[in-house]
Amino acid sequence: MDKLAIVVPCYNEEEVLKLASEALRDVLADLVQKGKIAGDSFILFVNDGSKDRTWELIEEEHAAYPVQVSGVKLAGNVGHQFALTAGLITAKDMCDVTISIDADLQDDVAVIEEMIDKFHEGNDIVYGVRRERKTDTFFKRTTAQAFYRLMGLMGVKTVYNHADFRLMSRRAVEEFSKYRETNLFLRGMMPLIGYQTDNVYYDRKERAAGESKYPLKKMLALAFNGISSFSVKPISLILGLGLLIIFCSVLALIYALLSYFTGHVVPGWTSLILSIWFLGGLQLLAIGLVGQYIGKIYIEVKQRPRYNIEKILHKGNNSDEERTTADEE
Ligand code: UDP
Ligand code: MG
């Protein structure tokens, strides 16, 4: 029987944690009862350096349900993508299959069963895909759609309308853990792993409690990271733009020479000043973009550990003591 670990990154989720734990425990109990997963399947809450009582609540849940609820405490806030990675890599040695889901219960826990079925059909990755975005604001919906389109144009393979609600087999996580990059964009990395994959569809709900931990700033950062971590197209765009502008300036030069030899007055300084500003701006833009890549190289070559697990609460088959580790993974 396959042992399932449900990995839940949590940042300041005290309002919703107990609800999430209850809902997910119900799902586990149901699946165990139907004989689809092993009896010691569990939920792994990853506390991403929360400033509220999230970790205390995870400890309470673990005390009350030692088999079903485990916890990982990261030493500080590393962000959703890293927290999830920490959870998945920690979970992979304790289980046969993982499912990642947000703590806020926006993703429909009812399709977890369908994911497990698809896993048993031989899929190594099963993507949870949102059917509609009714519950999102108009702004979030349009920006998200523009983002997926832009990603496509930039040549990054992603699963449309899939966030990080996803089943991964143990060997898929194993493979994923070999990707050593620090600029993480999980959605873009999963298709690179390969293996047989499938989708399940669901409607995304409102947050069960609390408010979004993804303000516009973090969303934009995620989008930019997604594109710049996977594509060098922006650089070729700069090249193309540069060529175009050189071509235009040659035309302008010819025009200037012609007007000079035909005795016309030299054009006023307006056009001159405009072109100085335009080119100046363009150069700054180009340098800035190139700089982004250099910045990434800089960060990658440092090879810093991507997270730091402070404590693991887990009651497995053979051990029920707390593990305390200070190292990555
Ligand atoms: N999250 C995290 N670290 C952060 C920000 C968010 O672990 O720095 C978690 C959060 O607790 C939640 C998930 O990432 O489980 C998604 O965040 P949220 O629901 O706020 O994002 P939204 O659904 O609004 O895009
Ligand atoms: Mg959410």
Side-chain angles (χ1 to χ4, degrees), residues 62 312-316 318-324:
H62 174 69
I312 295 176
L313 295 178
H314 178 66
K315 191 178 165 90
N318 25 36
S319 77
D320 59 351
E321 88 267 32
E322 280 185 1
R323 267 204 277 153
T324 310

Side-chain angles (χ1 to χ4, degrees), residues 102 104 106 204 207 212:
D102 289 350
D104 56 12
Q106 280 189 287
R204 199 160 207 237
R207 227 175 197 285
S212 175

Side-chain angles (χ1 to χ4, degrees), residues 8-13 16 46-48 50 77-81 83-84 101-106 130 136 140 187 204 207 211-215 218-219:
V8 190
C10 308
Y11 175 61
N12 294 347
E13 298 285 10
V16 82
V46 183
N47 176 39
D48 183 17
S50 298
N77 180 249
V78 292
H80 178 214
Q81 303 282 295
L84 187 52
I101 188 167
D102 289 350
D104 56 12
L105 299 175
Q106 280 189 287
R130 249 170 282 173
D136 282 346
K140 185 138 187 173
R187 276 164 246 181
R204 199 160 207 237
R207 227 175 197 285
E211 52 196 41
S212 175
K213 309 295 182 290
Y214 255 100
K218 274 196 194 169
M219 253 165 61

Side-chain angles (χ1 to χ4, degrees), residues 25-260:
R25 274 188 282 110
D26 286 348
V27 171
L28 284 183
D30 181 46
L31 291 175
V32 169
Q33 199 236 322
K34 287 182 179 157
K36 295 191 174 182
I37 54 171
D40 53 353
S41 297
F42 61 98
I43 307 161
L44 183 71
F45 287 108
V46 183
N47 176 39
D48 183 17
S50 298
K51 296 187 188 73
D52 63 3
R53 292 189 60 249
T54 301
W55 179 247
E56 283 78 50
L57 294 178
I58 294 171
E59 284 179 324
E60 281 172 24
E61 285 293 296
H62 174 69
Y65 309 95
V67 179
Q68 292 100 320
V69 179
S70 297
V72 168
K73 184 184 185 187
L74 300 179
N77 180 249
V78 292
H80 178 214
Q81 303 282 295
F82 289 110
L84 187 52
T85 304
L88 287 173
I89 291 177
T90 309
K92 81 174 181 348
D93 300 323
M94 308 168 175
C95 68
D96 305 299
V97 54
T98 65
I99 290 179
S100 53
I101 188 167
D102 289 350
D104 56 12
L105 299 175
Q106 280 189 287
D107 305 314
D108 190 359
V109 295
V111 300
I112 288 180
E113 179 169 357
E114 208 182 318
M115 286 180 158
I116 292 289
D117 291 341
K118 300 236 159 156
F119 168 67
H120 287 138
E121 285 163 22
N123 294 290
D124 276 275
I125 301 178
V126 182
Y127 297 103
V129 175
R130 249 170 282 173
R131 226 180 258 125
E132 295 171 72
R133 288 174 162 266
K134 263 187 288 188
T135 54
D136 282 346
T137 59
F138 172 76
F139 178 74
K140 185 138 187 173
R141 195 165 55 225
T142 37
T143 48
Q145 261 150 15
F147 168 61
Y148 285 109
R149 204 153 299 147
L150 188 63
M151 292 287 283
L153 285 176
M154 293 286 173
V156 186
K157 268 205 278 177
T158 48
V159 180
Y160 186 70
N161 265 350
H162 159 70
D164 285 305
F165 182 26
R166 172 175 56 229
L167 175 144
M168 292 175 80
S169 68
R170 183 186 175 139
R171 65 172 184 169
V173 180
E174 196 82 56
E175 206 49 44
F176 161 67
S177 68
K178 292 181 191 155
Y179 288 71
R180 304 299 312 168
E181 64 207 68
T182 312
N183 287 292
L184 273 184
F185 184 65
L186 299 180
R187 276 164 246 181
M189 290 165 76
M190 295 308 152
L192 302 178
I193 294 176
Y195 292 136
Q196 184 182 322
T197 67
D198 206 342
N199 299 343
V200 296
Y201 297 90
Y202 67 99
D203 293 313
R204 199 160 207 237
K205 290 181 256 187
E206 305 273 8
R207 227 175 197 285
E211 52 196 41
S212 175
K213 309 295 182 290
Y214 255 100
L216 182 62
K217 204 175 126 201
K218 274 196 194 169
M219 253 165 61
L220 288 176
L222 184 74
F224 186 75
N225 191 20
I227 290 166
S228 57
S229 298
F230 279 86
S231 166
V232 288
K233 278 227 172 129
I235 292 185
S236 12
L237 287 180
I238 294 171
L239 194 73
L241 198 62
L243 287 174
L244 186 73
I245 286 179
I246 290 167
F247 180 69
C248 292
S249 61
V250 170
L251 290 185
L253 182 77
I254 294 170
Y255 171 74
L257 284 177
L258 279 180
S259 13
Y260 178 77

